[in-house]
Amino acid sequence: MIKHIAAITFIFICTAIAWGILGATIFDRTYNSGSSAEGRVASTWGAPQNQSPPTASFDEVIQKKEVSIENGHKIETVTQDKVTTPLTLEGSHINIDLNLEHRQKGLLWYSTYKVAFDGAYSFHNTSSKDQAVSFHLNFPTDQAIYDDLVFTVDDAPIRLTNEKNSASGIAQVAGGKTATLKIGYKSQGLNDWRYHFGTSEVTQVRDFSLQMTTNFKDIDFPDNTLSPSKKTETASGWILNWDYTNLMSGYQIAMTMPEKLQPGPLAGRISFFAPVSLFFFFFLMLIITTLRGIELHPMNYFFLAAAFFSFHLLLAYLVDHVSIHMAFAICSAVSVFLVVSYLRLVVGMRFATREAAIAQFIYLVAFSYAFFLKGFTGLAITIGSIVTLFVVMQATGRIRWKEKFITGQTETPQIEPGGRIISVQN
C-alpha cells in the first residue's frame, strides 16, 4: 500500500510541475504580447481620452513709456507690449454618448469604445470694447480620429487652425457680451474616458452640467473622481448626470469601461490551480477503489493524470480561436471522454460512467468553472472541498487502516440483518 501511494504521489508531483510550466507559458504569451498588442490597438482604434474645456482669450497692444538717462540727458522711449486677457468661462453644458465595443488581440480583450461629444460653453467678454477672441480646444488625445467636427461661435462656424492635438479659431465678441462656443465630434478610445476641469489641481467651475449615456450596465468610476449627481437606468445602460452650480474641486469626471472575461489570465489561473483538482480526484479514486476492492495500478493513475492535463493544454491554445466558454466546454468534453473511455477498459463501464465521470466533473470541470465566478471562486472551491471531506470521512469511518497498510488487503463493510457490521476480506 505504501509503495502504491508513493508511486501515485510521484505521478502527481510530475504532473503538477508540468502544469506549472504550462501556466507560466500562458502568462508569458498573454502579457509579453499584451503590451505590444495594446499599442497596436491604440494605434488603430484610439488611446484613452481625457477631455479638457476649451479656452478663450484676446490680445491687446498696450503702449508703455520708459524713461532713461544717458550722458546726463533724459531719454523717453515708447514700447508696445502684447497682453493676453483670458475670458471667463461662465457655463458648460455637455452631452457624452459612450458605446462600448470590445476587441480581442491574442489572449486579451480590450475595452474599446466610441464616443460622441457635444458641448456648449459660455464665455463672457469683460472688456467694454469689441474683441477678436481666439477660441482654443485641446483634443483629448493625439492617438484618435475626430469626425463630424463642429466648432461654432453663436451658431456661426469659424475658420479653424489645426495643430498637432488642438484646433483654434477667431471670432468677434461684443464688449460686455457673452459668446457661446459649441463643440462636437465623434471619436474612438480605449479603456476609460475622462473630463477634467482645468490644468490646476483645484479649479472653480460655474453652471456646469454633463450628461453621459452608456450602452453598458457595469459602470465603474475610478478613484479620485466625482460620482454622478443622478443616475437613471435604461434598457441598455445608464444615463448619468453631473450638475454643479459653483464647484471648487481638483477631481475629474471619469468612466472606466467594463472588461470582458480575459481568456489568457483565466486559462493561466486554471492551470496553476489544476494540481488541487487532480489531488481531490486521485484521493477520491483511491478511497473508492479501497472500499470496493478495485485494483488501479499506478500506470492507470498516470494515464488519468495525462487526461486531466489534456484539458488545460487544449484550453491554453484553443482560447486563441474561439470564445472562452466554447473552449471550456470542448476541453471538458474531451477530457471526460478520455477518462471514461479509458476506465471502461480498465475497470468497467459502470465505474467509469458513474464514480469516475462524476468525480472528474466535480473536481476538474466544476472547480475550474469556479474561476468564471468573479469574487466567489475561493468560496465555491472551499465549499466543494468541505463537502468532499465530509463524504469521505463518513464512507471510511469504519475502515481499519492499520490492517490495510500491513496486509494490503481491502475490506468491504457489510451489515447483517441484525444490524451488526462485519468486514469481508477481498
Side-chain angles (χ1 to χ4, degrees):
M1 176 66 76
I2 294 177
K3 292 181 179 180
H4 185 74
I5 295 176
I8 296 174
T9 302
F10 177 75
I11 294 170
F12 172 81
I13 292 174
C14 292
T15 312
I17 294 173
W19 267 315
I21 296 173
L22 178 62
T25 302
I26 295 173
F27 278 110
D28 181 71
R29 290 172 54 213
T30 300
Y31 293 110
N32 281 355
S33 62
S35 56
S36 58
E38 184 170 357
R40 295 197 301 270
V41 171
S43 65
T44 57
W45 182 264
Q49 297 198 359
N50 192 346
Q51 182 65 67
S52 59
T55 59
S57 62
F58 61 87
D59 295 331
E60 289 182 301
V61 177
I62 299 177
Q63 292 185 345
K64 184 178 180 181
K65 292 182 180 181
E66 294 183 355
V67 179
S68 61
I69 298 177
E70 294 183 7
N71 299 326
H73 297 283
K74 185 178 181 181
I75 299 175
E76 185 177 284
T77 58
V78 178
T79 59
Q80 292 183 338
D81 291 339
K82 185 172 72 172
V83 178
T84 300
T85 303
L87 269 65
T88 303
L89 180 58
E90 297 290 344
S92 306
H93 303 282
I94 305 163
N95 290 293
I96 302 294
D97 188 16
L98 294 176
N99 287 281
L100 181 66
E101 298 181 5
H102 287 103
R103 275 168 169 71
Q104 186 178 12
K105 284 283 187 182
L107 294 175
L108 292 175
W109 280 97
Y110 293 91
S111 302
T112 55
Y113 61 88
K114 291 184 177 179
V115 55
F117 182 90
D118 182 21
Y121 297 89
S122 301
F123 291 95
H124 182 63
N125 181 10
T126 56
S127 172
S128 59
K129 299 184 297 183
D130 294 355
Q131 300 289 349
V133 177
S134 175
F135 296 92
H136 183 86
L137 172 69
N138 287 322
F139 290 115
T141 179
D142 55 357
Q143 284 187 292
I145 60 171
Y146 302 97
D147 191 22
D148 292 343
L149 181 63
V150 175
F151 205 104
T152 64
V153 176
D154 293 333
D155 295 325
I158 60 177
R159 184 182 181 89
L160 292 179
T161 302
N162 296 320
E163 298 179 7
K164 179 181 180 181
N165 191 33
S166 64
S168 59
I170 298 176
Q172 290 290 328
V173 179
K177 298 297 183 180
T178 298
T180 300
L181 172 65
K182 290 185 178 179
I183 295 172
Y185 59 78
K186 294 179 181 178
S187 186
Q188 300 172 161
L190 174 69
N191 293 339
D192 57 61
W193 184 91
R194 293 174 178 266
Y195 186 90
H196 66 90
F197 300 115
T199 56
S200 61
E201 293 185 358
V202 178
T203 305
Q204 184 177 19
V205 182
R206 301 185 184 92
D207 188 22
F208 179 89
S209 67
L210 187 148
Q211 178 173 289
M212 179 185 294
T213 304
T214 72
N215 71 333
F216 49 89
K217 297 279 189 179
D218 189 14
I219 56 176
D220 183 25
F221 309 108
D223 295 338
N224 299 322
T225 59
L226 296 169
S227 298
S229 310
K230 180 182 177 183
K231 296 192 296 185
T232 304
E233 190 171 7
T234 64
S236 59
W238 292 88
I239 297 177
L240 310 171
N241 296 90
W242 288 261
D243 298 298
Y244 306 108
T245 303
N246 190 4
L247 174 69
M248 291 288 293
S249 176
Y251 290 149
Q252 301 177 356
I253 294 174
M255 173 63 68
T256 298
M257 305 301 145
E259 292 185 349
K260 264 195 169 185
L261 193 63
Q262 298 290 8
L266 180 66
R269 290 195 298 270
I270 292 176
S271 295
F272 281 131
F273 180 80
V276 178
S277 298
L278 185 63
F279 171 80
F280 277 105
F281 181 77
F282 275 7
F283 176 67
L284 201 63
M285 288 296 99
L286 186 63
I287 294 299
I288 294 175
T289 54
T290 300
L291 288 173
R292 296 196 174 182
I294 300 172
E295 181 180 354
L296 279 183
H297 192 271
M299 280 301 299
N300 300 134
Y301 282 94
F302 168 79
F303 286 112
L304 292 176
F308 266 61
F309 185 78
S310 67
F311 170 90
H312 304 87
L313 184 62
L314 182 59
L315 181 67
Y317 293 96
L318 194 58
V319 291
D320 286 4
H321 308 286
V322 299
S323 71
I324 182 64
H325 293 90
M326 178 63 71
F328 187 89
I330 294 173
C331 296
S332 300
V334 169
S335 183
V336 171
F337 172 78
L338 288 174
V339 169
V340 172
S341 62
Y342 176 68
L343 284 181
R344 73 178 177 86
L345 301 175
V346 177
V347 181
M349 180 62 75
R350 181 176 179 181
F351 179 83
T353 55
R354 291 181 59 182
E355 286 86 348
I358 293 175
Q360 186 183 12
F361 179 81
I362 294 174
Y363 299 113
L364 176 65
V365 180
F367 272 33
S368 298
Y369 191 78
F371 285 87
F372 287 79
L373 308 175
K374 188 176 180 181
F376 294 93
T377 303
L379 179 61
I381 293 174
T382 301
I383 293 175
S385 302
I386 293 175
V387 171
T388 300
L389 179 61
F390 171 78
V391 172
V392 171
M393 290 173 67
Q394 297 301 309
T396 62
R398 299 185 183 277
I399 292 181
R400 302 297 179 260
W401 293 104
K402 182 177 179 180
E403 298 176 4
K404 295 276 182 197
F405 281 92
I406 292 176
T407 64
Q409 295 178 325
T410 58
E411 296 177 354
T412 303
Q414 293 184 356
I415 301 177
E416 289 184 337
R420 188 170 63 89
I421 298 177
I422 61 174
S423 297
V424 177
Q425 298 290 335
N426 295 294

